[in-house]
Amino acid sequence: MFEATTILGYKADGKAVIGGDGQVTFGDTVLKSNATKIRTLYNGEILGGFAGSTADAFNLFDMFEGFLNEKKGDLFKSVIAFSKAWRKDKHLRQLEAMMIVLNREHIFILSGTGDVVEPQDGKIAAIGSGGNYAISAARALDKHADLEPRKLVEESLQIAGELCIYTNTNIKILEL
């Protein structure tokens, strides 16, 4: 069984932040502890992160970037076009990956079945093995602490890394 990562996206105070841990495991073996699973897209205007199969995620990132270019960086239009293409293609539907994409206005989870989910609160999303730990910590910190968005993501991922055996504390963060 392939367990991949923890990715957390957060937008607040006119900022967008995404963070991810560095651990990739296969069963009970750590394959890599310093993987990078987040990146900037569309000339640094969009942030993205993935959980799941690395090869599948890179294919999806490439495809998504094509839609971003086609839609001139409009994140909302791009995720809709991307999800339609994902659902229609029998090969893409077999890919085992999820993505979070965000900018300062929107945040979306793109699921392995081609679904597009905008978080209920419109500002916090998490995916991967430690996603539930990270989002729980982020919601609590968002509600009860006065932290800068970058620090909130870092602390939430640190907590997830201390709880989830498939997540480590080798955290990378990108911010808009």
Side-chain angles (χ1 to χ4, degrees), residues 13-41:
D13 303 331
K15 296 180 181 175
V17 180
I18 195 163
D21 76 311
Q23 185 159 295
V24 177
T25 58
F26 187 80
D28 59 0
T29 303
V30 175
L31 295 178
K32 187 171 183 174
S33 64
N34 64 345
T36 300
K37 299 169 260 181
I38 58 173
R39 62 163 54 164
T40 58
L41 305 166

Side-chain angles (χ1 to χ4, degrees), residues 92-132:
L92 287 178
R93 286 193 308 258
Q94 305 304 313
L95 298 181
E96 297 180 4
M98 294 180 74
M99 296 180 2
I100 292 177
V101 292
L102 72 152
N103 60 15
R104 290 180 181 98
E105 291 79 40
H106 299 285
I107 183 169
F108 298 102
I109 297 171
L110 308 177
S111 80
T113 56
D115 293 319
V116 174
V117 178
E118 187 169 20
Q120 183 173 330
D121 63 9
K123 64 182 177 176
I124 306 171
I127 57 174
S129 303
N132 287 337

Side-chain angles (χ1 to χ4, degrees), residues 4-8 19-21 37 51 126-131 134 157 160 164 166-167:
T5 195
T6 301
I7 301 293
L8 177 65
D21 76 311
K37 299 169 260 181
I127 57 174
S129 303
L157 287 169
C164 178
Y166 300 111
T167 302

Side-chain angles (χ1 to χ4, degrees), residues 53-69:
S53 166
T54 304
D56 290 351
F58 285 133
N59 285 329
L60 293 172
F61 266 139
D62 289 344
M63 183 180 162
F64 185 67
E65 282 186 294
F67 285 106
L68 281 171
N69 289 327

